[in-house]
Amino acid sequence: MEENDALRAMDAEQLREHAHKMVDFIADYYKTIQNFPVLSQVQPGYLGKLLPDSAPEYPESLQNVLDDVKEKILPGVTHWQSPNYFAYFPSNSSIAGFLGEMLSAGLNIVGFSWITSPAATELESIVLDWLAKAFQLPEDFYSSGKGGGVIQGTASEAVLVVLLAARDKILRRLGRSALPKLVIYASDQTHSALRKACQIAGLNPELCKLLKADSATNYALSPEVLSEAISNDIAGGLVPFFLCATVGTTSSTAIDPLPALGKIAKTNNLWFHVDAAYAGSACICPEYRHCFDGIEESDSFNMNAHKWFLTNFDCSVLWVKASQGNMVIDYKDWQIPLGRRFRSLKLWMVLRLYGLEGLRSHVRNHIELAAYFEELVSQDTRFKVVVPRTFSLVCFRLLPPLNSEDHGNKLNSDLLDSVNSTGNIFITHTVLSGEYILRFAVGAPLTERRHVTTAWQIFQEKATALLGSLQD
Amino acid sequence: MEENDALRAMDAEQLREHAHKMVDFIADYYKTIQNFPVLSQVQPGYLGKLLPDSAPEYPESLQNVLDDVKEKILPGVTHWQSPNYFAYFPSNSSIAGFLGEMLSAGLNIVGFSWITSPAATELESIVLDWLAKAFQLPEDFYSSGKGGGVIQGTASEAVLVVLLAARDKILRRLGRSALPKLVIYASDQTHSALRKACQIAGLNPELCKLLKADSATNYALSPEVLSEAISNDIAGGLVPFFLCATVGTTSSTAIDPLPALGKIAKTNNLWFHVDAAYAGSACICPEYRHCFDGIEESDSFNMNAHKWFLTNFDCSVLWVKASQGNMVIDYKDWQIPLGRRFRSLKLWMVLRLYGLEGLRSHVRNHIELAAYFEELVSQDTRFKVVVPRTFSLVCFRLLPPLNSEDHGNKLNSDLLDSVNSTGNIFITHTVLSGEYILRFAVGAPLTERRHVTTAWQIFQEKATALLGSLQD
């Protein structure tokens, strides 16, 4: 390589040339994404065998690196953006979200305080006000009121920062010696992030009380169960201080009854946090907004724009009622890290390039596809839909033969493995009331009706094969 | 806009077309970056006056958004990538780092566990082994040994996760009731992230002991002072458990004496963490590797590839000696959040597209430029270099007139404001031993000798004006 050809650390024209190549590489990836197995089929340690064991001393070309991405990296990628990806919850990439990431990486500012890039702080406040309005959140959550919004990396960080705020608020009142007595409440369907946050915050892990929710309430937290737990804990000398409710749980998209829970929280002076990481996106549609009823009782509220809202990972949106009321916001004091990327750019671009109506269509389309899948499942008497579908997740299982020893748990686990090993689709599972349940989560931007039809055919074929082998 | 023209959530050809436009926008930004004031000159609240108060209902065009970026966002940006940016520490964007961000955003996987994209986990381990080798770290830090590396977002998260690991390790031994007695040590030059981490972790803030470091040790932590503090605390019934040393402090790039501190940590059974967030990059050069001597005594070690190592923000690299030893790594258990981006791609691309020699040249070039600036300062008797320069930061001040009431603190603060308000350069300050000190940090990839020369001329002119006005 000639000296003059060497890639400079930064140079406008070299950046232009190389980045155009990368655009074509990524566009080609999306063009051919259906050719890859959705779930990577590599074995642990595969990549170490393909790469050298030291960094190169001298520069290599972009073409070499892109060849390696194609031949060595992509086989080890699980393709979250594939139209045949139905696992976990979606994590949307979109054209607007991608453009926003590009712009943010291009400017590469570190907006930890207002002065380090005023536009980063101000655009974040403005866009979160736009979103608060679109969700019809109470005005307390607007930056013009006593509160405001902030972009966190993930819902885990969101619940951690509000847990810390609540912890320090009550410790200021009661003194630090109260720390080992602080009690946290949520249903046992709550995301594991809450337990992790409690551990990080130095709270007594035994006092993170995950109250049983079962099929009687469709896995929502019962206000009666909560009230009773609080009364018992107070009687036992403990200090209840935090309640986390969920709109759209990870297992089965259960919706905790916010109005009743909010009243209990108020009566008992608990910080009331609402986690709508996945289902929040749906509430931008008027016909789903009722799922947020009671949100006005909450102290903080979180949804993940990076899940089902076309905003590339990571972008978790948190609103709080209480803030510091300085003239300018220094967002470093609203989060765990000091530095922060200019993440509001991508959310702003998503809102502008699709508009609220575009986002509503996006969500409605997936809900219709999930309803279609639910209909297919319910037409096959060998299967059962196990909880009513509300959003774009269908929880179902293959019914076991009458004399099944494990009540069908092994059968459904085998069905999941069988389906995923085809590489044609990828789904995950959960456990509800001891039963192994299959989760079919629609939400990838490229998913169309035909992908759902094909997915269902795979389930049917593999079920036929499995049930047949049981009878042999 | 016709129905057919509407931007789809995802579409390979629309992505190609729009992303090529964005590449040109970003390349043009770098082409003209010197035309902007380095430090944004807007007033608080400026952006709210320029943007509507709701998100649009219907889609807008990319051209509209880019026009707004140009006219409304860029004036509010502080240009960290400007060649005239000498504030804080650098936060390098590079062509390779930018390409890596593009690719990561394009794939948009969420690699919280091995199975969610094996390549993400495995590339991270491999690249961190490459880097461990390049830094000549002890083998205990390699993934093949008992430890391994992990990419965190920031140094704040890095120190938090190791503090939590150390806290829970000692609490397992002593029981949770020991929590209020746990003591943390560092010098008072340590980054504020440590105090924040202690607060998050529920540790007693009064027991986060920031020991005084002064000009006698060039602001490094004295082993004697540490030993004495530990002895006193043990005698007082407290439980010392964590020591944080710094290689290259934020104020003045002081280097704590790792070998002596490591011995004290070992004797007293403290977790020994080394923070080399900024200066770590320099230690890739053999002539600076000695700054890491003693690193073999540490339990964990952190450097920020996003500072001075051409890797776009965020990419903070943490190595730990102790890990869980499972067959596959699930990095979610090594960090605060659950979800994680495919950040190893950008670090891998930086290492391959520049090579270790390219990175060494990058760092050496900036150190030479800082030495040049230091020389310029020391040739002007009105100024003083206040601590010996080691890396690419020069700490200096304008000497006050003899009868100055505030010993020059207002003078230097005025000089900083005067220099920054030109928009031609941006610097920040620190306080050492009560004195207001100017910090000139070289490190932006576009900075050349001529930018340093011009910067110094601005300091001289503004100093002349300020000193002149004092004599009026």
Side-chain angles (χ1 to χ4, degrees):
Chain A
M1 188 190 284
E2 304 225 2
E3 182 69 14
N4 289 342
D5 292 329
L7 189 67
R8 303 187 57 158
M10 183 49 74
D11 175 278
E13 297 315 318
Q14 285 188 331
L15 180 143
R16 194 188 309 270
E17 184 195 334
H18 285 76
H20 280 311
K21 274 186 200 153
M22 184 59 92
V23 167
D24 285 325
F25 185 89
I26 292 168
D28 291 344
Y29 168 69
Y30 278 101
K31 208 168 165 180
T32 57
I33 195 168
Q34 297 188 52
N35 302 345
F36 297 97
V38 188
L39 175 64
S40 170
Q41 309 281 320
V42 299
Q43 295 302 310
Y46 91 100
L47 192 56
K49 296 170 191 153
L50 302 176
L51 295 182
D53 62 0
S54 307
E57 285 291 316
Y58 298 98
E60 301 181 60
S61 73
L62 177 59
Q63 194 53 55
N64 275 356
V65 174
L66 290 180
D67 289 346
D68 274 2
V69 172
K70 210 164 190 170
E71 290 158 25
K72 298 170 185 172
I73 302 295
L74 288 185
V77 166
T78 292
H79 301 276
W80 287 63
Q81 305 311 321
S82 164
N84 299 310
Y85 181 96
F86 303 104
Y88 307 104
F89 280 133
S91 179
N92 288 175
S93 178
S94 72
I95 296 172
F98 177 70
L99 295 173
E101 282 284 5
M102 281 179 72
L103 186 55
S104 167
L107 299 176
N108 203 45
I109 60 102
V110 186
F112 56 83
S113 63
W114 183 86
I115 194 71
T116 61
S117 263
T121 296
E122 299 200 5
L123 187 63
E124 188 159 329
S125 298
I126 290 167
V127 169
L128 268 57
D129 281 350
W130 285 8
L131 215 47
K133 209 167 179 176
F135 284 131
Q136 301 176 47
L137 296 186
E139 291 207 359
D140 290 347
F141 283 132
Y142 287 42
S143 65
S144 55
K146 274 180 290 184
V150 58
I151 297 177
Q152 303 283 332
T154 60
S156 305
E157 287 156 89
V159 73
L160 174 58
V161 296
V162 298
L163 186 72
L164 294 171
R167 180 199 70 182
D168 289 352
K169 187 179 168 195
I170 195 157
L171 291 184
R172 275 193 298 275
R173 192 156 60 82
L174 303 182
R176 290 192 58 79
S177 60
L179 185 67
K181 293 181 194 164
L182 299 182
V183 193
I184 304 96
Y185 303 92
S187 90
D188 60 0
Q189 299 297 303
T190 300
H191 193 277
S192 61
L194 180 67
R195 278 190 72 91
K196 188 169 177 177
C198 289
Q199 192 218 338
I200 292 168
L203 296 163
N204 186 341
E206 288 168 19
L207 299 186
C208 178
K209 304 213 168 172
L210 303 182
L211 306 171
K212 195 170 160 54
D214 60 24
S215 62
T217 58
N218 279 327
Y219 300 95
L221 178 57
S222 149
E224 292 73 32
V225 170
L226 175 65
S227 285
E228 196 186 327
I230 293 175
S231 302
N232 287 343
D233 288 336
I234 293 175
L238 298 173
V239 182
F241 89 109
F242 192 87
L243 169 64
C244 177
T246 306
V247 176
T249 57
T250 305
S251 270
S252 65
T253 69
I255 302 172
D256 288 336
L258 304 189
L261 297 179
K263 260 181 217 161
I264 298 171
K266 200 165 221 169
T267 309
N268 291 280
N269 209 13
L270 310 185
W271 184 293
F272 182 33
H273 177 65
V274 175
D275 168 7
Y278 155 73
S281 297
C283 301
I284 201 164
C285 302
E287 67 272 29
Y288 287 94
R289 175 55 179 78
H290 65 90
C291 301
F292 279 175
D293 286 352
I295 196 81
E296 58 280 2
E297 302 295 334
S298 72
D299 295 289
S300 51
F301 165 68
N302 168 240
M303 66 82 70
N304 284 351
H306 61 239
K307 277 197 162 67
W308 191 20
F309 208 68
L310 295 180
T311 311
N312 288 45
F313 187 82
D314 50 358
C315 188
S316 180
V317 179
L318 171 69
W319 285 271
V320 289
K321 276 190 184 163
S323 86
Q324 297 173 317
N326 294 331
M327 192 172 78
V328 296
I329 287 175
D330 284 336
Y331 274 128
K332 69 181 169 59
D333 302 324
W334 293 48
Q335 64 174 18
I336 303 300
L338 172 62
R340 57 204 321 269
R341 295 184 298 134
F342 197 163
R343 285 184 291 217
S344 55
L345 278 176
K346 58 184 169 183
L347 187 52
W348 182 57
M349 291 186 70
V350 163
L351 288 166
R352 291 191 63 180
L353 294 182
Y354 298 118
L356 294 173
E357 269 305 313
L359 287 157
R360 290 183 194 113
S361 301
H362 167 71
V363 162
R364 283 176 184 142
N365 177 44
H366 289 143
I367 295 177
E368 278 165 27
L369 292 181
Y372 166 57
F373 185 83
E374 184 186 32
E375 179 64 24
L376 293 172
V377 175
S378 56
Q379 281 168 5
D380 186 332
T381 54
R382 299 174 300 172
F383 288 88
K384 184 188 167 194
V385 174
V386 296
V387 287
R389 181 200 51 78
T390 307
F391 304 106
S392 69
L393 173 72
V394 180
C395 291
F396 70 110
R397 71 191 320 240
L398 181 57
L399 295 173
L402 279 179
N403 52 355
S404 165
E405 278 182 21
D406 70 343
H407 305 287
N409 282 2
K410 182 168 182 309
L411 178 68
N412 279 279
S413 167
D414 288 348
L415 180 56
L416 178 133
D417 288 343
S418 168
V419 157
N420 284 344
S421 66
T422 65
N424 294 324
I425 63 172
F426 178 32
I427 63 153
T428 48
H429 80 283
T430 189
V431 174
L432 290 172
S433 302
E435 291 194 334
Y436 190 102
I437 306 288
L438 304 178
R439 290 171 78 265
F440 189 82
V442 183
L446 289 169
T447 303
E448 298 173 18
R449 192 175 167 98
R450 64 193 166 97
H451 300 107
V452 175
T453 306
T454 304
W456 175 239
Q457 285 165 355
I458 295 171
F459 279 109
Q460 287 189 305
E461 278 166 28
K462 294 297 178 185
T464 300
L466 270 176
L467 292 173
S469 70
L470 288 182
Q471 289 171 338
D472 289 343
Chain B
M1 186 190 285
E2 305 225 2
E3 182 69 15
N4 290 342
D5 292 330
L7 189 67
R8 302 185 60 158
M10 182 49 73
D11 174 277
E13 296 315 317
Q14 284 188 332
L15 179 143
R16 194 188 309 270
E17 183 195 335
H18 285 77
H20 279 310
K21 275 187 198 152
M22 184 59 91
V23 167
D24 285 326
F25 185 89
I26 292 169
D28 290 345
Y29 167 70
Y30 278 100
K31 207 167 166 182
T32 58
I33 195 167
Q34 297 188 52
N35 301 345
F36 298 96
V38 189
L39 175 64
S40 171
Q41 308 282 320
V42 300
Q43 295 301 310
Y46 91 100
L47 191 56
K49 295 169 191 154
L50 302 176
L51 295 182
D53 62 2
S54 309
E57 285 290 317
Y58 298 98
E60 300 181 61
S61 72
L62 177 60
Q63 194 53 55
N64 274 355
V65 174
L66 291 180
D67 288 346
D68 274 3
V69 173
K70 209 163 191 171
E71 289 159 25
K72 300 170 185 172
I73 302 294
L74 288 185
V77 166
T78 292
H79 301 276
W80 286 63
Q81 304 312 320
S82 165
N84 298 310
Y85 181 97
F86 303 105
Y88 307 104
F89 279 133
S91 179
N92 289 175
S93 178
S94 73
I95 296 173
F98 177 69
L99 296 174
E101 282 284 7
M102 282 179 72
L103 185 56
S104 167
L107 299 177
N108 203 46
I109 61 102
V110 186
F112 55 84
S113 63
W114 183 86
I115 194 71
T116 62
S117 264
T121 296
E122 299 200 5
L123 187 64
E124 188 160 330
S125 299
I126 291 167
V127 170
L128 268 57
D129 280 350
W130 285 7
L131 215 47
K133 208 166 180 177
F135 283 131
Q136 300 176 47
L137 296 186
E139 292 207 359
D140 291 347
F141 283 132
Y142 287 42
S143 64
S144 55
K146 273 181 290 182
V150 58
I151 297 177
Q152 303 282 332
T154 60
S156 304
E157 288 157 89
V159 73
L160 174 58
V161 297
V162 296
L163 186 71
L164 294 171
R167 180 199 70 184
D168 290 352
K169 187 180 168 193
I170 194 157
L171 291 185
R172 273 194 300 275
R173 190 155 61 82
L174 302 182
R176 290 193 57 80
S177 59
L179 186 67
K181 295 181 194 165
L182 299 182
V183 193
I184 304 95
Y185 303 92
S187 90
D188 61 0
Q189 300 297 304
T190 300
H191 194 275
S192 62
L194 179 66
R195 279 190 71 92
K196 189 169 177 177
C198 289
Q199 192 217 338
I200 291 168
L203 296 163
N204 186 341
E206 289 168 20
L207 300 186
C208 178
K209 305 214 167 172
L210 302 181
L211 307 171
K212 195 170 160 54
D214 60 25
S215 60
T217 56
N218 278 327
Y219 299 97
L221 178 58
S222 149
E224 293 72 33
V225 170
L226 175 65
S227 285
E228 195 186 329
I230 293 175
S231 302
N232 287 342
D233 289 335
I234 291 174
L238 297 173
V239 182
F241 88 111
F242 192 87
L243 169 64
C244 178
T246 306
V247 175
T249 58
T250 306
S251 270
S252 65
T253 69
I255 302 172
D256 289 335
L258 303 189
L261 297 179
K263 261 181 217 160
I264 298 171
K266 200 165 222 170
T267 309
N268 292 279
N269 209 13
L270 310 185
W271 183 294
F272 182 33
H273 177 65
V274 174
D275 168 7
Y278 156 73
S281 298
C283 301
I284 201 163
C285 302
E287 67 271 28
Y288 287 94
R289 174 57 179 76
H290 66 89
C291 301
F292 279 175
D293 286 353
I295 196 80
E296 59 280 3
E297 302 295 334
S298 71
D299 296 290
S300 52
F301 164 69
N302 168 240
M303 66 80 70
N304 284 350
H306 62 239
K307 276 197 163 66
W308 191 21
F309 208 69
L310 295 179
T311 310
N312 287 46
F313 186 83
D314 50 358
C315 188
S316 180
V317 180
L318 171 69
W319 285 271
V320 289
K321 276 190 185 163
S323 84
Q324 296 174 315
N326 294 330
M327 193 172 77
V328 296
I329 287 175
D330 284 336
Y331 273 129
K332 69 180 170 58
D333 303 323
W334 292 48
Q335 62 172 21
I336 303 301
L338 173 63
R340 58 204 322 268
R341 295 183 299 134
F342 198 162
R343 285 186 290 215
S344 55
L345 278 177
K346 59 184 169 184
L347 188 52
W348 182 57
M349 291 186 71
V350 164
L351 288 165
R352 292 192 62 180
L353 294 181
Y354 298 119
L356 294 172
E357 269 305 313
L359 287 157
R360 290 185 193 113
S361 301
H362 166 72
V363 162
R364 283 175 183 141
N365 177 44
H366 289 143
I367 295 177
E368 278 166 27
L369 293 179
Y372 166 57
F373 185 84
E374 184 186 31
E375 179 64 23
L376 292 172
V377 175
S378 56
Q379 281 168 4
D380 186 330
T381 55
R382 298 174 301 169
F383 287 88
K384 185 189 167 195
V385 174
V386 295
V387 287
R389 180 200 53 77
T390 307
F391 304 106
S392 69
L393 172 73
V394 180
C395 290
F396 70 110
R397 70 191 321 239
L398 181 57
L399 296 171
L402 279 179
N403 53 356
S404 165
E405 279 183 21
D406 70 344
H407 305 285
N409 283 359
K410 182 169 180 309
L411 179 67
N412 280 281
S413 166
D414 288 348
L415 180 55
L416 179 132
D417 288 344
S418 170
V419 156
N420 284 343
S421 67
T422 64
N424 294 324
I425 63 170
F426 177 32
I427 63 151
T428 49
H429 80 282
T430 190
V431 174
L432 290 172
S433 302
E435 291 193 333
Y436 189 103
I437 306 289
L438 305 178
R439 292 172 77 265
F440 188 81
V442 182
L446 289 169
T447 302
E448 298 172 18
R449 192 173 167 97
R450 63 193 169 97
H451 301 107
V452 174
T453 306
T454 304
W456 176 239
Q457 284 165 356
I458 295 171
F459 279 108
Q460 287 189 306
E461 279 167 26
K462 295 297 176 185
T464 301
L466 271 175
L467 292 173
S469 71
L470 288 181
Q471 289 171 338
D472 288 344

